[in-house]
Amino acid sequence: MYEDTPYPTDIREYLYKILVIGDLSTGKTSIIKRYVHNIFSMNYKSTIGVDFALKVIQWSPDTVIRMQLWDIAGQEKFSGLTRVYYKEAVAALVVYDVTRPKTFEAVPKWKSDLDTKVSLPGGEPIPVVLLANKIDLQEEGSASLDEEEMDRFCEENGILKWFGTSAKDNSNIDDAARFLLEEIMNREVEHANQQAQDAAAMAGRIQLNQPSAKEGCC
Ligand code: GTP
Ligand code: MG
């Protein structure tokens, strides 16, 4: 009776909690609003505590990803509450403002705050991508970000990659999010493979411990 149902039955759905952190007024909320609703405003309204947004992505014909974005107020900087907010996150975007060097200097502190308070189920650090935001404000002719220096900075701080972004001009935000999702998905596959290997090894060990037919008792 239900054989001709038009609904595909083998859709895989993933829900990922992703943190967006960084100093005050670096553009975290603006980046999320641009990414999720494609809107931008120059009015600054500081986030209090934490805010949430959901972005649903049709990743492939049979895979849907729900990104639960946790927009954590810059004023929560290393407060006792970040441990609560970070719980069960699988990735993070760390944002700084290219016009304010102090917000860049704070990036390693945000990264180590993350590493001490959250990790993946296997114990590894969660994947982190750095967003150098407000690149639209870099004055024309002024030195742009030194790519090599930025790459080195990321490597030294255990950050996977950096992107120069602008929430105002909608630059590079989609690319950064896509890169982060690919990293999350790769880790998910690795973790599943590891678990399958562990299960197979365990099954082998159980078989070895079984008494053979000859040794069988009465
Ligand atoms: P907190 O919630 O206080 O931690 O700040 P936030 O990081 O969420 O910053 P928010 O997104 O509220 O942006 C702060 C200010 O920067 C606002 O006035 C935004 O309009 C502005 N802004 C954000 N992103 C950009 C950008 O890419 N370019 C420019 N020119 N302004 C931006
Ligand atoms: Mg905010």
Side-chain angles (χ1 to χ4, degrees):
M1 190 178 170
Y2 296 108
E3 271 171 13
D4 292 335
T5 173
Y7 305 110
T9 51
D10 51 358
I11 294 279
R12 282 173 297 171
E13 289 203 17
Y14 297 91
L15 176 68
Y16 294 134
K17 171 175 171 179
I18 296 168
L19 308 169
V20 184
I21 56 175
D23 271 8
L24 212 69
S25 188
T26 49
K28 300 176 293 294
T29 303
S30 305
I31 286 169
I32 293 172
K33 287 205 166 139
R34 172 61 84 189
Y35 184 53
V36 177
H37 307 293
N38 201 15
I39 53 173
F40 176 79
S41 159
M42 281 308 276
N43 293 333
Y44 175 37
K45 201 166 148 250
S46 194
T47 306
I48 313 269
V50 63
D51 229 329
F52 308 95
L54 185 72
K55 170 97 173 170
V56 181
I57 296 171
Q58 186 78 45
W59 185 253
S60 69
D62 64 350
T63 307
V64 171
I65 296 179
R66 290 173 193 280
M67 295 173 80
Q68 196 183 70
L69 296 157
W70 284 52
D71 176 7
I72 295 170
Q75 45 176 297
E76 289 293 339
K77 200 170 180 179
F78 327 130
S79 76
L81 275 177
T82 56
R83 184 182 295 280
V84 179
Y85 297 148
Y86 294 172
K87 207 163 175 257
E88 285 171 12
V90 296
L93 294 168
V94 179
V95 185
Y96 81 93
D97 175 344
V98 293
T99 68
R100 287 185 298 142
K102 281 239 167 328
T103 65
F104 179 67
E105 287 158 23
V107 170
K109 294 182 202 150
W110 281 105
K111 174 69 168 78
S112 64
D113 191 53
L114 273 178
D115 289 346
T116 53
K117 294 176 180 167
V118 65
S119 59
L120 293 177
E124 322 88 82
I126 64 170
V128 172
V129 163
L130 178 62
L131 303 186
N133 193 40
K134 307 194 189 180
I135 46 165
D136 59 284
L137 290 180
Q138 275 190 322
E139 283 161 39
E140 261 179 57
S142 75
S144 57
L145 297 172
D146 182 328
E147 300 206 357
E148 266 180 34
E149 216 170 280
M150 286 296 286
D151 289 347
R152 202 171 331 115
F153 174 82
C154 287
E155 209 178 317
E156 281 168 7
N157 287 282
I159 293 169
L160 296 176
K161 197 168 170 168
W162 65 276
F163 291 80
T165 58
S166 166
K168 182 165 179 266
D169 293 353
N170 195 11
S171 313
N172 261 340
I173 296 172
D174 286 354
D175 291 349
R178 173 156 281 272
F179 173 82
L180 190 62
L181 282 176
E182 274 163 5
E183 292 292 328
I184 296 170
M185 299 292 272
N186 289 344
R187 280 163 180 73
E188 183 120 337
V189 171
E190 273 169 30
H191 186 61
N193 286 344
Q194 188 59 50
Q195 280 191 323
Q197 272 178 20
D198 292 350
M202 181 65 84
R205 243 176 276 144
I206 290 170
Q207 261 186 350
L208 279 176
N209 290 337
Q210 296 284 329
S212 67
K214 272 188 201 157
E215 290 165 345
C217 76
C218 47

